[in-house]
Amino acid sequence: MSDHAAQAPVNDPIQLAIRGMTCAACVGRVERALRKLPGVGQADVNFATEVATVQAASGQALSTEVLVNAVEVAGYEAHVVQADAPMGEHEGDAPWRIWLPVALGLAAAIPLMLPMLWGNHHFWPAWFQFLLATPVQFILGARFYRAGWAALRSGAGNMDQLVALGTSAAWALSVWLWWRHPTDAHHAPDLYFESSTVVIALVLLGKALEARAKYQTTAAIRALQALRPDVVHRLGPQGEVDVPLALVTAGDRLVVRPGERVPADGVVAEGRTHVDESLLTGEPLPVSKAEGDRLTGGAINGEGRLVMAVTAVGGQTMLSQIIRRVVDAQASKAPIQQLVDRVSAVFVPVVLLVAVLAGLGAWAWGLPTEAAVIRAVAVLVIACPCALGLATPAAIMAGTGAAARHGILIKDPQALELTHRIAVLAFDKTGTLTEGRPRVSQWLVAASAAADAPGLLAIAAGLQQGSEHPLARAVLAAAQDQEVVPQPLGEVRAVPGRGIEGLEANARRWMLGSTRWRDELGASAPEALQEAASRWAGEGASVSWLMMASPNGAATVQAVFAFGDAVKPHTVAAVRELHRLGVRTVMISGDNRGAAQAIGAQVGIDEVIAEVLPGDKADHVHRLQQPTAPGARATVVGMVGDGLNDAPALAAADVGLAMANPEGGTDVAMQAAGITLMRGDPLLIPAAIDISRRTSRKIRENLVWAFGYNVIGIPLAALGGLSPLLAGAAMAFSSVCVVTNALWLSRWRPADAGDP
């Protein structure tokens, strides 16, 4: 490979699939091997996904060959993960490769274990036990020797060493006793071949069940990856031609037949249909699409034939961004995992010391040498740190996967961990609590300009031509409804947070904007317009003033417009659910106070902050974060927004929640937010908090189980309360229980509007 090919782009994280890790101690060893390399800024290894994410230091480039070599020197296999590689699958992991060793191990272990259940330890002759146990110990168990020796060479400890030492001791002790003592039916010694054989068989069984459970935790990502079709129908000079998806570029025109998946992001060029976007957004109902509407790759076309113009392919599509967001969240470490890493770093040496002390203590107490050795073996076998390594990532994978299936994308474990602590949730109004598609509900012109009402509407529409603001589209729609042609104006420019202005041909300046701007300009308004505006604002409408200023004269109000924006169907239910969760709600809006307070009262918001400029929203978020009492902790504040102007506030909040907006502007909000809601349903907001709380609870449950298992099991084995056989069973059971407990999160679904 050339130097150029081996270099990763600066600041572009590299992901490596790691093979051969068996416990949390392995994770620490791989991380240390990667972090000590020059140019590596951060390296995190996820035990559940078996993926290492390596970030270059600022201004540095990393060689993938050097990274892979460092992992291999540490005793593990590694290869670079391709961007579109299937999640949760590794080369060579065919089911028979996983389950055949388990079947062979159990086939040898069961005959050795059955006589113990009958209370007859001498049922099988020693030579038969030896023939069953030895292949299991040194062929099926070879993986433990290889991995344990690799760890030992690098000066580290891992689970494989514990298993290899424990089972080897039991096997060697049995051989020693067989050789040293007579083996006739009346004087046959107690042998421990069944302990070594059953332990290895149970460890292999536990790892197989663990692998199967871990595979299930990546089901959400695999379901998303499966949404990409392999072949598409591209329109060219020869008509429809089937080509691989990889050959499609932006600007191509593709045919999407009924029942097929949309292959890439684009817009409808021809046709009408309904598309099913449920796996992308969680929206259960098909969405109507016509010419000019956006299409998202992965959606299923309904009844109509479509011709689409491609706007994004490959890693630039929304589907790829969703997959990347979920993968990143599952590959990252939660802050609580740092505690587990510190414990795992010293775990194996401590266990080895405890095992030696347990054996020596039992021998000094007067127990036979073989009994003392078996006690040490039991300590080695039961003290597997697998459950510790799986406790946090398994819960995060299951929780983020379940959330993604229902349209909630969690950026990283930090966002997941903070979301369950949200005490105050701030909302933008338009597009979040309301539909975000305002319309001109009423308008009134000054008496002096009553004769030219259509002309004033034409000027207002002329000011708004080319603007993407929701109120601008409402004015243009009103002009179109009344068949009024917008009047062209010159030098049109937006005044942030206030409105828009432009020049008429006769040099008169026209402004259309907020009450704040009218007051700043000192524009006088007729009493009738003032009364109408106050009444409309009190009813919850947004008010804009059309003002005229001559080159040398003061501004005067010519007309006033009222804009209505309907509250989303589930907004009231969402706010009620947030209150049930103990979250205080605040609305931060740029609308006039009357309109904002009317909406706030309608949906049940606790506090309304109105007439806020877009740049000032972040300041209000900072104010909400201040401790409520001297010496108290800062308040954890979440912010919900849907557009470009909400990005600063989303970034300022402890947790930003970006709500998808079909009108655009969501991409910037997604980058600033820790959580993205893929559809504009307000019920996803309390659902995000709920899944965060449930996931955090599962993490705590798993850690209590994992730590408690070792705190109880190791002393019990050291005192002779567990045989190696039972210790092996308990060790396998612990890891499976941790992952299974996490998988309960896969059954989670958001509350419906009608749920209690």
Side-chain angles (χ1 to χ4, degrees), residues 86 111 116 129 131 150 221 224 299 301 372 417 448 467 493 570 581-582 598:
M116 294 179 55
Q129 297 183 50
L131 289 178
I221 297 176
L224 289 170
N301 184 23
E417 191 159 309
S448 59
S467 173
R493 70 180 187 93
H570 296 159
L581 294 172

Side-chain angles (χ1 to χ4, degrees), residues 499-523:
I500 196 164
E501 65 179 4
L503 286 177
E504 201 178 359
N506 57 12
R508 287 189 301 186
R509 186 162 63 103
W510 290 90
M511 294 82 69
L512 180 62
S514 65
T515 302
R516 174 200 291 267
W517 197 18
R518 187 207 68 182
D519 294 341
E520 290 175 352
L521 294 172

Side-chain angles (χ1 to χ4, degrees), residues 119 129 144 150 168 180 191 372 408 507 684 726:
Q129 297 183 50
F144 303 113
S168 297
R180 290 282 295 173
L191 303 181
I408 303 170
L684 289 184
L726 292 177

Side-chain angles (χ1 to χ4, degrees), residues 237-529:
Q238 291 79 31
E240 290 185 30
V241 178
D242 287 353
V243 298
L245 178 60
L247 298 182
V248 174
T249 60
D252 285 350
R253 291 167 65 88
L254 306 178
V255 173
V256 186
R257 298 168 183 165
E260 292 184 339
R261 292 197 181 276
V262 177
D265 291 356
V267 295
V268 178
E270 299 175 19
R272 298 178 66 90
T273 190
H274 288 79
V275 299
D276 179 359
E277 299 177 337
S278 57
L279 271 175
L280 295 169
T281 67
E283 172 60 57
L285 299 177
V287 180
S288 176
K289 299 289 182 180
E291 288 187 20
D293 288 340
R294 298 184 181 188
L295 292 170
T296 303
I300 301 175
N301 184 23
E303 71 283 0
R305 177 183 183 273
L306 291 179
V307 176
M308 65 175 291
V310 177
T311 59
V313 294
Q316 304 303 314
T317 63
M318 180 62 69
L319 176 59
S320 292
Q321 293 179 40
I322 292 172
I323 294 173
R324 191 178 307 119
R325 180 69 64 95
V326 178
V327 169
D328 289 347
Q330 295 190 345
S332 302
K333 284 191 177 183
I336 197 171
Q337 183 68 21
Q338 297 170 4
L339 171 64
V340 177
D341 292 343
R342 288 195 295 269
V343 172
S344 300
V346 298
F347 189 85
V348 173
V350 169
V351 168
L352 290 173
L353 179 61
V354 171
V356 171
L357 292 176
L360 291 175
W363 179 73
W365 194 258
L367 291 180
T369 302
E370 55 266 28
V373 171
I374 288 300
R375 189 167 293 190
V377 168
V379 173
L380 293 173
V381 170
I382 199 169
C384 169
C386 292
L388 279 178
L390 290 169
T392 300
I396 288 174
M397 291 169 66
T400 54
R405 281 195 298 274
H406 294 285
I408 303 170
L409 297 185
I410 299 173
K411 185 177 185 179
D412 51 42
Q414 285 78 10
L416 183 72
E417 191 159 309
L418 278 172
T419 301
H420 82 274
R421 294 168 45 201
I422 288 176
V424 176
L425 194 63
F427 293 88
D428 173 54
K429 179 178 76 70
T430 304
T432 304
L433 298 175
T434 63
E435 294 285 0
R437 293 189 294 271
R439 57 183 178 82
V440 176
S441 55
Q442 301 180 79
W443 66 295
L444 185 65
V445 301
S448 59
D452 193 26
L456 293 178
L457 182 58
I459 289 173
L463 285 169
Q464 300 288 21
Q465 273 192 314
S467 173
E468 292 298 321
H469 194 282
L471 297 186
R473 289 195 289 270
V475 171
L476 292 170
Q480 184 178 6
D481 290 343
Q482 298 193 27
E483 299 181 352
V484 171
V485 178
Q487 180 173 331
L489 297 172
E491 300 183 20
V492 176
R493 70 180 187 93
V495 182
R498 289 163 176 81
I500 196 164
E501 65 179 4
L503 286 177
E504 201 178 359
N506 57 12
R508 287 189 301 186
R509 186 162 63 103
W510 290 90
M511 294 82 69
L512 180 62
S514 65
T515 302
R516 174 200 291 267
W517 197 18
R518 187 207 68 182
D519 294 341
E520 290 175 352
L521 294 172
S524 59
E527 186 175 349
L529 269 62

Side-chain angles (χ1 to χ4, degrees), residues 39-54:
V40 172
Q42 183 62 29
D44 292 307
V45 178
N46 187 305
F47 182 41
T49 60
E50 298 182 321
V51 170
T53 303
V54 185

